[in-house]
Amino acid sequence: MRTQETSPEPKQDRARATRRRLLDAAGRSLCELGFAGTTTTVVAKRAGVSQGALYKHFRSKQQMIAATTEHLFKGLIEAFREAFSKAATGRDPIARALPSLWAVFVTPELYAVVELYIAARTDEDLREALVPVLLQHRENLRAEAKVLFPEAAEKNPRFDIVVDSLMAALQGAAVSAAVLGEVQDAAQLGGFLEEMCRRELQAPFGRV
């Protein structure tokens, strides 16, 4: 499958400011209206620019959405980094990190991104535009986890899959919470994830 890169950052200050307004407007629209409601017309109006100006920065709605996803991910990574940083200052980083991570997963920005995963299933252009952004985000998350658990990153060959599995579990639970209003068996899920993290991220690795 061919992948598309998001549009490059403009060099001129004025163009960068316009692009930032467009990304902020698109991000708000995704959070409030979802993928279907986030049209180029809506985004241009919210950003206070013409559609012609929008298309100077993004060749299509899909490219605009991919760039906006990248924009949202930057904010989410900062939130993850803050959660990891706070956890690292305590005696029990795993117990401290999980609640902070969960708080990030139930934000409008994260829900907006999850909706794009689903939309991309049947939208080939959107999927092609999103793939490089999603892959880079996965690498960024792994890098943040390596900072918090350097020994596990070095000595546990399953480190990456552990991080990926944790993120997938939290994301799935967040989707359930969005629909059901709560996570069924939340205490059991939290206990299972904490047990998995202790087994895989604390020495001796991989032992119950």
Side-chain angles (χ1 to χ4, degrees):
M1 181 180 65
R2 176 176 57 87
T3 58
Q4 302 174 348
E5 295 183 355
T6 57
S7 58
E9 183 80 13
K11 295 182 179 180
Q12 297 82 8
D13 291 342
R14 184 175 180 180
R16 284 200 299 268
T18 299
R19 187 176 191 271
R20 179 60 184 260
R21 290 206 309 275
L22 287 166
L23 293 175
D24 287 342
R28 292 194 303 272
S29 181
L30 284 172
C31 291
E32 297 168 14
L33 306 176
F35 174 67
T38 302
T39 64
T40 55
T41 301
V42 167
V43 172
K45 183 176 181 180
R46 286 189 171 207
V49 303
S50 67
Q51 278 196 280
L54 184 150
Y55 282 115
K56 288 181 180 179
H57 291 270
F58 309 110
R59 294 190 300 272
S60 64
K61 175 183 176 179
Q62 287 81 3
Q63 190 184 71
M64 178 188 72
I65 293 298
T68 304
T69 304
E70 188 174 39
H71 181 61
L72 291 174
F73 275 152
K74 289 179 181 179
L76 289 170
I77 284 293
E78 287 299 322
F80 285 129
R81 184 176 293 125
E82 182 178 355
F84 286 145
S85 176
K86 289 180 179 179
T89 62
R91 293 184 178 180
D92 191 345
I94 290 176
R96 290 170 60 88
L98 286 175
S100 298
L101 283 175
W102 175 246
V104 178
F105 273 86
V106 290
T107 59
E109 292 79 8
L110 200 289
Y111 282 131
V113 171
V114 170
E115 184 180 350
L116 295 179
Y117 277 83
I118 305 303
R121 184 182 71 85
T122 54
D123 188 325
E124 180 67 19
D125 290 336
L126 178 61
R127 183 162 68 250
E128 289 183 351
L130 281 179
V131 163
V133 177
L134 298 178
L135 291 177
Q136 183 58 56
H137 180 63
R138 184 176 65 185
E139 291 304 313
N140 291 341
L141 287 174
R142 290 174 177 176
E144 293 299 323
K146 288 176 182 178
V147 172
L148 184 58
F149 300 102
E151 185 180 7
E154 179 183 355
K155 297 181 179 179
N156 189 346
R158 300 188 296 188
F159 182 82
D160 285 349
I161 193 63
V162 170
V163 174
D164 294 348
S165 298
L166 174 62
M167 295 301 168
L170 290 172
Q171 182 170 293
V175 172
S176 295
V179 177
L180 300 175
E182 61 181 5
V183 180
Q184 293 181 331
D185 300 320
Q188 292 185 34
L189 174 63
F192 171 77
L193 293 178
E194 184 172 335
E195 179 184 332
M196 180 192 74
C197 289
R198 291 191 187 283
R199 182 177 65 246
E200 301 293 342
L201 301 177
Q202 290 181 334
F205 305 109
R207 300 181 185 179
V208 178

